[in-house]
Amino acid sequence: MYDYLIVGAGLFGSVFAHEAARAGKKVLVIDKRNNIAGNVYTEKMEGINVHVYGAHIFHTNNKKVWEYLSQFTTFNRFTNSPVANYKGELYSLPFNMYTFNKMWGVVTPQEAAERIEQQRKEAGITEPKNLEEQAISLVGTDIYEKLIKGYTQKQWGRPCNELPSFIIKRLPVRLTFDNNYFNALYQGIPEGGYTKMVANMLNDSELSGSIEVRLGVDYLASADAKEELDSQAEKVVYTGAIDAYFDYKLGNLEYRSVRFETETLDTPNFQGNAAVNYTDAETPWTRIIEHKWFEFGKDENGDDLPKTVISREYSSEWKPGDEPYYPVNDEKNGALYAQYKELADAERKVIFGGRLGEYKYYDMDAVVAAALDCAANNI
Ligand code: UDP
């Protein structure tokens, strides 16, 4: 008999498992995949830690979370500065003085601010009601047209005037020459990959309780399988999709899915940066990730790594059988989630957590913070 059955070995499940075992509990962690670490899973190819389920750059202002994870890994000093490629024109991201200079030839912050203000006025926007209006009021029409419109429509599969404005507020706009994508005090990638960090969380020999991990186990494969697993534990922490748990009985929540085409190239340096976003509407992929540049200090002359691994990222609407990535946090889905949440609250034995369990566009640090809170309140 276990104290906790944890469904899903991603960040939420693994942090909760660690905390439970630290409190002396007996924990069983299962995952339907054959690997731990959920979507932060990294796999070594050609000596490079490849982000198999998409690029993950850890960043946070939460010192407690940073120190917590630092028990299990050393973060390198990677700083995210993606490049935007619009039909062969390259721009610095996030929107900063290098971007404004390239776009308009402006030199001072004042000139840049005036240009943005002028374009915002011409568009007649006072109170932005959707992503398109929010973007134009933040950076003006030129940047919206070249760097935001196509990329966002590809990523979300919806026109920008039908998307909520909060999505674009994730991106900083700076009147300085700072092209660090994140406004965070702490940033980095775990040395040796995320998988190792999560493995250390689950295998810590200092734990007073114990954690058993079983991979390739599908909790929702059948009602019998679920019942049998449930019967082995006092409590269940479920981190899969909330609508799947209830067999989609109120209807499907919508997700955006992502498909990756990963290839090894016989060159040490393909694009000179970890992330290049293709911001026009015609290029079918949203971005290309060159994984070796996440590992700060790798030699660009190829002395250490003569090859490189790249992933083209394609965004698509989720359909059953695909991996759900991004919850679509619009009104319609929010209302459906609220109904599922009521059902979830009535499941006395089960705690729902994480990006899929709470249907929330969570960053990694917020997931870890939520798992720590959840553990503190429940264990
Ligand atoms: N975005 C954009 N152009 C870019 C990068 C981002 O318009 O080159 C917008 C887009 O709407 C996207 C949002 O900013 O959905 C958030 O981007 P972020 O990079 O935070 O997304 P994530 O890394 O979570 O996929």
Side-chain angles (χ1 to χ4, degrees), residues 199-220:
N200 288 341
M201 227 177 252
L202 297 171
N203 300 329
D204 194 335
S205 58
E206 309 279 294
L207 295 173
S208 52
S210 64
I211 301 176
E212 185 185 328
V213 180
R214 284 192 220 152
L215 298 174
V217 179
D218 187 355
Y219 179 67
L220 299 180

Side-chain angles (χ1 to χ4, degrees), residues 93 131 147-148 151-152 155-156 167-168 170-171 181 277 279 287 326 361:
L93 289 176
L131 194 151
L147 304 184
I148 297 175
Y151 184 91
T152 303
Q155 181 169 5
W156 295 96
I167 294 176
I168 200 72
R170 288 168 58 83
L171 261 74
Y181 199 68
N277 294 357
T279 57
R287 55 188 163 193
Y326 298 96
Y361 188 0

Side-chain angles (χ1 to χ4, degrees), residues 121-137:
K121 266 204 190 125
E122 279 167 16
I125 295 161
T126 41
E127 271 182 43
K129 285 183 293 295
N130 53 49
L131 194 151
E132 175 175 285
E133 295 185 2
Q134 181 69 56
I136 293 171
S137 81

Side-chain angles (χ1 to χ4, degrees), residues 273-288:
N273 203 35
V276 176
N277 294 357
Y278 286 76
T279 57
D280 64 297
E282 293 76 31
T283 305
W285 54 84
T286 49
R287 55 188 163 193
I288 301 182

